[in-house]
Amino acid sequence: MGPVILAIESSCDETSAAIIQNGKVLNNIIASQTVHNKYGGVVPELASRAHQRNIVAVASYALGTANISMQDVDAIAFTRGPGLLGSLLVGVSFAKGIALALNKPLIEVNHMQAHVLAHFIDDPKPTFPFLCLTISGGHTQIVLVKDFLDMEVIGETQDDAVGEAFDKAAKILGLPYPGGPLIDKFAQSGNEKAFKFSKTIMPELDFSFSGIKTAFLYFVRDAKKSNPDFVENNLADLCASIQHHLIAMLLEKLIVASKKTGIRQIAIAGGVSANSRLRNMLLAEAEGRNWNVFIPAFEYCTDNAAMIAMAAHYKYLRGEFTSLDVTPLARMAI
Ligand code: KG4
Ligand code: ZN
């Protein structure tokens, strides 16, 4: 029998625990924090407190529903970074506490590597090398994945993440946090050609999303001056247009990355990969370009401990363990 690992994820605003046995994810327990909704974004101090309140219950529930006792666990895995320092600290301290008390090995996981490795939880699985567009509230990266634990970031945002752009655009439209899924929903009945925004030109494979955020803010503000009901009357078209603009920026660079590397195995990961229009546009693009596209199940797109468990499994097999004096890293390269 292969290793049994308890994995913990607490990098942002989801407290999550998962059990993996011999490379098979047995469960994936997620406690989402709703305390941030009224603030229009994650409030770091509130996130740490909520993690602290939930982590014991979430981990116990994961063990209980998998019918695994703490004694059966071969290693404890946790997200070391990148993420919010106070949030990470809760998960790291919890994992260290168990490891120390029960004399179990620790495995640190890079959250961004884990998003990529979410593709190995279910079938079909990509083969190496492949490209992974990792898009979330904190990150926008094109990753060249050479092996399970051998990855290279070949392009990334130089300012905001695309998820942040979705959330800020939603906030400008008066929608609550997190606005990405709401933009996706309202856009379904809108015309994506209704409003046009100018493109931010970035070199090579890099992205920039701060310009469009400001352009959208001014556009909506100016339109409201002459028509106070502008947003209410055009919500679906506004959502569809800004969504289309953001997705086009992502796909444009993904096409360049595929041409440059000659790789046609294309994966997407991270919270924004849940976007329905992105999925459709990517699949349409794939047909014309002979791409093989990989999209994880919805529950493995947003932050979750199953992906941490998957990464930990490969690290366990390679004997990559972490010492007890480990500290979290708010910034951590892949
Ligand atoms: O990966 P994730 O759960 O957390 C981070 O590591 O950031 O990603 C959260 C981000 C948020 O910005 C959220 O608005 C966005 O993913 N998101 C979406 C959709 N679902 C989640 N953005 C656009 N369309 C969606 N359907
Ligand atoms: Zn994430």
Side-chain angles (χ1 to χ4, degrees):
M1 233 337 153
V4 176
I5 302 170
L6 164 65
I8 305 292
E9 154 64 29
S10 75
S11 64
C12 189
D13 60 345
E14 321 276 3
T15 315
S16 183
I19 310 287
I20 191 167
Q21 182 169 31
N22 199 21
K24 190 174 177 302
V25 170
L26 301 186
N27 60 17
N28 182 35
I29 311 302
I30 304 172
S32 294
Q33 304 178 1
T34 50
V35 62
H36 311 287
N37 297 13
K38 59 176 176 285
Y39 298 99
V42 176
V43 183
E45 177 62 20
L46 296 180
S48 329
R49 291 185 202 187
H51 283 305
Q52 200 153 31
R53 267 197 309 278
N54 295 334
I55 198 156
V56 174
V58 168
S60 309
Y61 193 70
L63 287 163
T65 52
N67 210 7
I68 297 276
S69 85
M70 211 46 247
Q71 301 305 328
D72 301 331
V73 170
D74 296 306
I76 321 291
F78 62 94
T79 304
R80 185 178 183 194
L84 300 169
L85 201 62
S87 290
L88 291 165
L89 197 56
V90 177
V92 175
S93 308
F94 178 79
K96 277 163 82 167
I98 301 177
L100 189 62
L102 299 176
N103 197 22
K104 306 276 185 189
L106 275 175
I107 302 175
E108 66 175 65
V109 171
N110 181 307
H111 182 86
M112 301 313 294
Q113 270 195 357
H115 268 304
V116 174
L117 294 174
H119 287 280
F120 294 90
I121 298 173
D122 286 335
D123 287 329
K125 300 178 174 78
T127 52
F128 303 111
F130 66 93
L131 294 176
C132 186
L133 176 70
T134 310
I135 39 180
S136 72
H139 295 273
T140 306
Q141 298 181 332
I142 299 178
V143 185
L144 169 57
V145 189
K146 299 170 204 166
D147 202 349
F148 294 111
L149 300 170
D150 185 5
M151 305 180 191
E152 186 189 337
V153 176
I154 57 171
E156 67 185 324
T157 182
Q158 297 302 316
D159 43 56
D160 297 348
V162 65
E164 218 175 325
F166 266 100
D167 295 337
K168 297 254 171 74
K171 195 174 177 183
I172 292 165
L173 298 175
L175 302 172
Y177 176 86
L182 292 170
I183 292 203
D184 189 352
K185 186 178 138 204
F186 290 121
Q188 275 160 29
S189 52
N191 171 10
E192 62 189 20
K193 297 201 173 83
F195 305 106
K196 288 249 178 298
F197 308 100
S198 57
K199 272 192 188 167
T200 312
I201 310 292
M202 288 297 285
E204 297 279 313
L205 298 174
D206 286 338
F207 301 93
S208 164
F209 291 100
S210 66
I212 178 63
K213 181 184 69 187
T214 316
F216 190 65
L217 175 71
Y218 290 162
F219 171 78
V220 171
R221 190 194 58 185
D222 293 346
K224 274 161 83 174
K225 275 184 196 151
S226 51
N227 174 8
D229 297 328
F230 175 71
V231 170
E232 289 71 19
N233 294 342
N234 297 280
L235 187 61
D237 286 352
L238 283 164
C239 288
S241 300
I242 189 70
Q243 174 174 274
H244 184 265
H245 185 85
L246 294 172
I247 296 171
M249 284 166 89
L250 294 171
L251 291 184
E252 188 185 301
K253 296 295 174 136
L254 199 52
I255 291 164
V256 179
S258 170
K259 279 188 184 153
K260 230 180 133 171
T261 58
I263 296 173
R264 289 210 189 85
Q265 293 231 90
I266 310 287
I268 53 171
V272 180
S273 63
N275 185 274
S276 57
R277 187 70 183 120
L278 169 73
R279 290 174 174 221
N280 293 341
M281 282 175 72
L282 180 63
L283 290 172
E285 206 64 61
E287 240 180 69
R289 297 179 186 278
N290 221 351
W291 283 356
N292 206 359
V293 168
F294 298 87
I295 305 176
F298 182 79
E299 78 169 300
Y300 304 134
C301 285
T302 50
D303 288 349
N304 67 88
M307 67 184 195
I308 305 301
M310 205 65 241
H313 173 75
Y314 296 114
K315 294 192 99 174
Y316 188 100
L317 297 185
R318 277 160 213 223
E320 289 187 26
F321 299 104
T322 306
S323 79
L324 267 170
D325 56 11
V326 62
T327 50
L329 294 172
R331 298 171 70 87
M332 189 178 179
I334 246 180

